[in-house]
Amino acid sequence: MKKLLYPIIIGLLAVVLTACGSNDEADKKNDEKETKTTEKETAKATEEQQKQMEEMQKKLDKQKVDEKKTVAIVNDEKISGAEYNTVLSTTQMQMQQFGQDPTSKEGAKQIKEQTLNSLVGQTLLLQAADKKGYTASKAEIEKQLAEIKKQYESEEKFKAALKQAGLNSEMLNAQIAENIPYTKYVEKEIKVEEATDEEIQKYYDQVAEQAKTSGQKVQKLEEMKPQIKEQLEQQKKQEKLVKHVEELQKNAKVDIKI
């Protein structure tokens, strides 16, 4: 969005500067010349950025697989290429956010491994949730769908977001129907102890030290305590979840096909 709005902002700024400029005709001509130069430079920079993005996207798309291809089989349940590509795109985005190149040889290898591990882990957890009898009712699916829609100003914007994500209403409903039993299972079966005051203090001291080093202001412990407590407990749950998946995998039959 910034890339599209930037030339428009520059154009509006140029209009304002011209209106507030000198009455001298020569000054006006110079201003117009400078404005045109700025617009050309901005347009050129935008075009170059667009080309770089397109080139990167082509490289990222090459990592995708045939949607109908079976990428793995977990306890006789097949994982499709379409599922792989969806998780792959998320993994690629995460790697880019951390300033890493997902198209490098090492990056591509890491992404493939992470994507497969994520898919296998999710499948094992969903299978475990199903065995435990966790389900999603129609009312629960509709409620979560309504909560998602609330994030958008209109139905049109919601549909546009779905399209951009490569989804339709049916696919979204299916994902919600899977997500609810998964969430119930994790909440009920993966229990962790509350973060202690000592753990919270230790974490706060680390944050405070980092802020001090970079010259930033630090909030008081009392203000940050709820946030730190939640973050520490989420970390504990994530660590326990990873171990739980490892245990499930010991008794599972996993066949990777790519």
Side-chain angles (χ1 to χ4, degrees):
M1 185 62 73
K2 286 182 181 177
K3 178 174 65 64
L4 295 173
L5 289 177
Y6 188 65
I8 297 170
I9 293 169
I10 291 294
L12 289 172
L13 185 60
V15 171
V16 173
L17 288 173
T18 303
C20 298
S22 167
N23 288 328
D24 187 87
E25 192 63 34
D27 286 344
K28 283 184 180 181
K29 287 181 179 179
N30 286 335
D31 287 345
E32 286 173 7
K33 187 177 180 181
E34 287 175 8
T35 299
K36 287 178 181 178
T37 302
T38 303
E39 287 175 346
K40 285 180 181 179
E41 288 173 353
T42 303
K44 188 177 179 181
T46 302
E47 187 180 347
E48 186 62 33
Q49 185 182 11
Q50 184 66 34
K51 284 181 181 179
Q52 289 175 359
M53 288 174 68
E54 287 172 0
E55 286 300 314
M56 173 60 77
Q57 192 56 53
K58 285 178 184 177
K59 291 178 182 178
L60 294 174
D61 287 341
K62 283 183 180 180
Q63 294 179 352
K64 292 182 178 180
V65 300
D66 185 340
E67 291 189 353
K68 295 179 181 179
K69 182 180 178 67
T70 297
V71 298
I73 303 174
V74 182
N75 292 329
D76 298 325
E77 183 175 343
K78 293 179 180 180
I79 298 175
S80 70
E83 293 172 287
Y84 178 87
N85 291 340
T86 299
V87 178
L88 176 75
S89 295
T90 303
T91 311
Q92 289 171 335
M93 195 183 300
Q94 288 172 343
M95 183 172 276
Q96 285 177 300
Q97 286 172 348
F98 282 104
Q100 297 173 291
D101 182 8
T103 62
S104 67
K105 187 176 179 181
E106 188 60 36
K109 182 182 176 183
Q110 186 180 336
I111 277 179
K112 181 180 178 180
E113 188 177 320
Q114 285 181 3
T115 302
L116 287 168
N117 286 342
S118 179
L119 282 165
V120 170
Q122 287 176 23
T123 304
L124 287 168
L125 287 167
L126 285 168
Q127 289 174 350
D130 185 55
K131 283 181 182 179
K132 286 277 186 177
Y134 291 102
T135 58
S137 68
K138 186 178 178 181
E140 287 173 325
I141 294 171
E142 289 176 351
K143 183 182 177 183
Q144 194 165 116
L145 180 61
E147 287 173 356
I148 293 171
K149 285 186 175 183
K150 275 183 188 177
Q151 299 172 32
Y152 300 90
E153 294 176 4
S154 65
E155 184 72 19
E156 288 73 25
K157 288 189 176 182
F158 168 68
K159 287 180 179 178
L162 272 184
K163 187 177 180 181
Q164 191 175 6
L167 297 169
N168 55 39
S169 297
E170 189 178 331
M171 291 165 72
L172 179 62
N173 282 357
Q175 287 191 8
I176 293 171
E178 279 193 345
N179 184 62
I180 291 171
Y182 170 86
T183 303
K184 287 180 181 178
Y185 179 83
V186 172
E187 287 178 353
K188 298 286 184 182
E189 306 294 331
I190 312 298
K191 299 288 186 183
V192 294
E193 295 178 357
E194 285 190 14
T196 65
D197 288 340
E198 289 78 13
E199 288 172 328
I200 293 170
Q201 182 67 56
K202 184 180 178 182
Y203 186 91
Y204 175 78
D205 290 341
Q206 290 173 346
V207 171
E209 184 61 34
Q210 288 173 358
K212 186 179 178 182
T213 304
S214 58
Q216 295 177 338
K217 187 179 178 181
V218 189
Q219 288 180 289
K220 292 180 180 179
L221 174 60
E222 291 74 21
E223 296 172 342
M224 294 184 68
K225 191 171 182 178
Q227 182 185 346
I228 293 173
K229 184 176 183 293
E230 183 181 354
Q231 191 165 343
L232 286 172
E233 287 170 4
Q234 283 296 324
Q235 286 177 0
K236 286 183 178 184
K237 177 155 278 193
Q238 188 62 38
E239 288 167 5
K240 197 166 183 179
L241 192 59
V242 169
K243 288 180 181 178
H244 185 66
V245 169
E246 288 173 355
E247 287 300 315
L248 290 173
Q249 198 160 351
K250 285 178 183 178
N251 302 313
K253 185 180 177 182
V254 179
D255 184 11
I256 304 297
K257 295 291 186 181
I258 59 171

